[in-house]
Amino acid sequence: MSRGTVVAFLVASALTLTLVSTRIRGADEIEYFAYLHSMAFDRDLEFGNEYRHFHERDPEGLAGFAATFLERREPATGRHINFAPLGSALLWSPFYLVAHVGVLAARAAGSAVAADGFSAPYVAAVCYASWIYGGLGLLLIHDALRRFAGGRDGDAAWATIALLYASPLLYYMTIAPAFSHATSVFAVAALVWTTLDARARAAGLGRWALAGALGGVAALVREQDALFLVVPLGLL
């Protein structure tokens, strides 16, 4: 990647960084985030307290959410329902844990920020993680266009920048980053890039196994992303 391409992409990406919202508002976002708090703090994958936390902050706006997620239970287990897949939480988890370490350090230095897994640094970590994953996905798309599709560096760069600004990805990297869409772009791009790289190198079984594993990650992020496994299956 040329220096000019790097600068163009960094400028285009940096302009979106100021737009990143660090709020969790809707049902899907709450479901995705609930995995993190439940795994890291409760270690039970029972989401009642996570759901109540967000509902109590906006009971009117989340009235429909309460009817579905607080009043209903899984018939077999009695646990609160979570329709969201686990993959985004897994990808966010390193950032979430770093935020927790930072919060603990801040509290040791006298800060009053809550180390409860819900306070602003934890939510911000998830939102900015989605922005980072979306950017990494775009970089993989750019490299795939350049290396495997024969595109010129500049053309691949402008195509990638257009994808950022002229698709719903911009919304899901900035206004609603706690959805799974930005992490989905990364997971699918990693799967396709690894597949194309394996074919270009005439790689052995290990590389193809990695592509399969990335397909599993993509499916965990969004179930329909499992359809992209047709790419390595078609090129084996």
Side-chain angles (χ1 to χ4, degrees):
M1 190 183 296
S2 69
R3 179 179 297 178
T5 299
V6 172
V7 170
F9 182 80
L10 289 177
V11 169
S13 299
L15 291 174
T16 69
L17 182 60
T18 60
L19 303 175
V20 175
S21 170
T22 55
R23 294 179 59 197
I24 292 177
R25 293 161 291 190
D28 288 0
E29 297 167 288
I30 294 170
E31 289 178 86
Y32 292 125
F33 186 88
Y35 280 111
L36 286 168
H37 185 273
S38 187
M39 289 188 295
F41 286 82
D42 300 339
R43 302 178 186 178
D44 60 5
L45 292 181
E46 209 300 309
F47 307 108
N49 59 319
E50 286 83 16
Y51 294 165
R52 282 189 292 272
H53 170 85
F54 289 102
H55 178 257
E56 288 168 0
R57 279 150 181 76
D58 185 15
E60 183 176 347
L62 291 173
F65 173 85
T68 300
F69 293 99
L70 283 173
E71 297 173 11
R72 295 171 60 188
R73 299 286 197 279
E74 292 282 359
T77 65
R79 290 171 175 261
H80 287 82
I81 295 169
N82 192 328
F83 297 120
L86 179 62
S88 290
L90 291 177
L91 291 176
W92 291 332
S93 59
F95 298 86
Y96 186 83
L97 294 175
V98 167
H100 182 56
V101 172
V103 167
L104 293 178
R107 288 179 62 84
S111 172
V113 62
D116 60 358
F118 289 120
S119 59
Y122 299 95
V123 177
V126 164
C127 294
Y128 284 110
S130 278
W131 182 85
I132 291 169
Y133 279 119
L136 291 174
L138 289 170
L139 287 173
L140 289 169
I141 291 169
H142 171 270
D143 195 57
L145 291 172
R146 185 177 59 86
R147 291 180 55 193
F148 308 123
R152 294 185 301 177
D153 190 60
D155 293 339
W158 287 115
T160 305
I161 292 170
L163 180 60
L164 169 61
Y165 279 99
S167 78
L169 179 59
L170 178 62
Y171 176 81
Y172 288 110
M173 285 177 61
T174 57
I175 306 302
F179 282 90
S180 63
H181 297 67
T183 51
S184 173
V185 166
F186 167 75
V188 171
L191 164 62
V192 173
W193 186 94
T194 301
T195 298
L196 296 175
D197 182 66
R199 185 183 66 166
R201 296 186 183 189
L205 181 61
R207 195 70 170 176
W208 289 102
L210 175 60
L214 289 170
V217 172
L220 284 174
V221 172
R222 291 174 69 82
E223 298 97 325
Q224 58 266 46
D225 288 348
L227 295 172
F228 285 94
L229 280 166
V230 301
V231 179
L233 290 173
L235 295 178
L236 274 172

